[in-house]
Amino acid sequence: MGNRYLQADLNTFSVKRVYGVTVLTSIFSDGEMSSKDGIVLSATSVDRQFGSILNGLHISSCKVGYLPNLDLITAVEQACRNQSVGPVVLDPILFDETGSPILDDTAFSKYVTDLIPLANVITPTIEEAEKIVGFEITSDDDVIHAANELRGIGVQNVLIKGSNEHQGRDNIRDYVLLEDGDDFWLTDKHAPFPQPSGKDDALSACITAELANGQKTENAIRTAKEFITDATRNVLQVGDSIESINFWS
Ligand SMILES: Nc1ncnc2c1ncn2[C@@H]1O[C@H](COP(=O)(O)OP(=O)(O)OP(=O)(O)O)[C@@H](O)[C@H]1O
Ligand SMILES: Cc1ncc(COP(=O)(O)O)c(N)n1
């Protein structure tokens, strides 16, 4: 977890009146996933963290983010499969900030085969969806095809996040394919630069929080997107250097 990513999750949970607890997989500075200076925790540590939060807490839903190696994927997969963690929202982090893949082939294969099918909702970017389904996405039809392929892997609900690179300058459109086969696009005006950080984590964290609050998946996704829209329009200037989405919009 970079120093701001985890906080974006917890700030979102708090605003949504959900009590958040965490299992840390790693520690690194913002934007330094690719550096060798970060710390990747052991599977044993992750097991113990799960043990401690599951001892006495009822977990209503669970967000899974950065998992940089096979051992951590296996540890989290086992916990999600064997423990009572509620619906799983999987936010794949498959590339570091330089665009290099994070997982080696064995770990990636495990991720796709064993972790993705456990997800109630998966929220890849277009690049992450391309990596998982194994073909390039250059059109709306490709996005829809990729979402169906992800459903084919076993994930129940898919949200593929838009990208202005693929969709033009004005709008950004996320595509949603639900378990029952219903699908829709969530369209938003592309917010002007500079972009506040935290949108990625807040989107999946908000879906997770809404599921914990008992919302149906479609409502959880729609509410989360509205939350991102509002939070992106009202940039929060924290000190001199941090431009964050505004969780309290
Ligand atoms: N420029 C933008 N204007 C409005 N919404 C955006 C913009 N960029 C991304 N979003 C929305 O934010 C959500 C998260 O998308 P994504 O993970 O691609 O963002 P990101 O730019 O990587 O986020 P961040 O760097 O802030 O964590 C999606 O719902 C996406 O549509
Ligand atoms: C631990 C971690 N690393 C990277 C990102 C992606 O962030 P962004 O969407 O800003 O690239 C993230 N959400 N969490």
Side-chain angles (χ1 to χ4, degrees):
M1 277 290 148
N3 32 358
R4 267 186 270 163
Y5 302 114
L6 176 58
Q7 282 67 19
D9 287 345
L10 290 174
N11 281 325
T12 304
F13 290 161
S14 187
V15 164
K16 291 290 162 181
R17 306 187 75 81
V18 165
Y19 189 91
V21 290
T22 55
V23 173
L24 270 186
T25 61
S26 58
I27 303 165
F28 55 85
S29 303
D30 279 342
E32 293 192 351
M33 250 185 296
S34 58
S35 86
K36 300 280 171 266
D37 298 331
I39 296 171
V40 176
L41 297 177
S42 66
T44 308
S45 165
V46 164
D47 286 343
R48 291 175 72 90
Q49 292 179 68
F50 267 111
S52 102
I53 63 167
L54 287 163
N55 179 19
L57 281 184
H58 169 76
I59 306 296
S60 305
S61 64
C62 164
K63 169 181 161 172
V64 175
Y66 184 59
L67 296 174
N69 66 35
L70 178 66
D71 287 351
L72 292 176
I73 293 167
T74 306
V76 170
E77 180 245 326
Q78 288 298 315
C80 291
R81 193 182 292 284
N82 300 325
Q83 309 287 348
S84 182
V85 297
V88 173
V89 178
L90 180 60
D91 184 11
I93 312 291
L94 300 181
F95 300 100
D96 67 22
E97 53 281 330
T98 70
S100 302
I102 289 169
L103 299 175
D104 63 29
D105 289 350
T106 312
F108 178 67
S109 168
K110 172 85 180 166
Y111 192 95
V112 173
T113 313
D114 290 339
L115 188 63
I116 288 181
L118 299 180
N120 178 268
V121 184
I122 192 168
T123 61
T125 58
I126 285 181
E127 293 73 18
E128 288 156 351
E130 285 177 333
K131 166 106 181 132
I132 298 167
V133 300
F135 59 81
E136 226 186 315
I137 298 174
T138 58
S139 66
D140 285 359
D141 282 350
D142 292 340
V143 173
I144 294 168
H145 181 197
N148 279 284
E149 292 285 307
L150 286 163
R151 290 268 296 116
I153 296 172
V155 62
Q156 291 165 39
N157 302 277
V158 179
L159 186 165
I160 299 182
K161 293 175 287 198
S163 133
N164 67 329
E165 193 183 308
H166 291 84
Q167 298 175 339
R169 284 191 166 269
D170 291 342
N171 290 326
I172 185 152
R173 295 183 306 132
D174 298 352
Y175 176 71
V176 179
L177 176 61
L178 297 173
E179 193 174 3
D180 60 10
D182 280 359
D183 69 336
F184 50 91
W185 293 87
L186 293 167
T187 304
D188 194 7
K189 281 264 169 256
H190 197 268
F193 288 96
Q195 298 281 322
S197 68
K199 301 181 293 299
D200 180 24
D201 290 290
L203 179 73
S204 49
C206 190
I207 296 170
T208 311
E210 294 297 347
L211 292 173
N213 282 330
Q215 291 277 352
K216 293 214 163 62
T217 305
E218 177 176 350
N219 288 345
I221 290 172
R222 288 188 186 277
T223 305
K225 181 64 183 181
E226 285 166 19
F227 179 67
I228 294 300
T229 299
D230 293 344
T232 304
R233 296 291 176 275
N234 297 291
V235 176
L236 191 63
Q237 189 74 47
V238 191
D240 292 334
S241 62
I242 298 185
E243 289 211 335
S244 166
I245 58 165
N246 191 334
F247 301 94
W248 299 274
S249 289

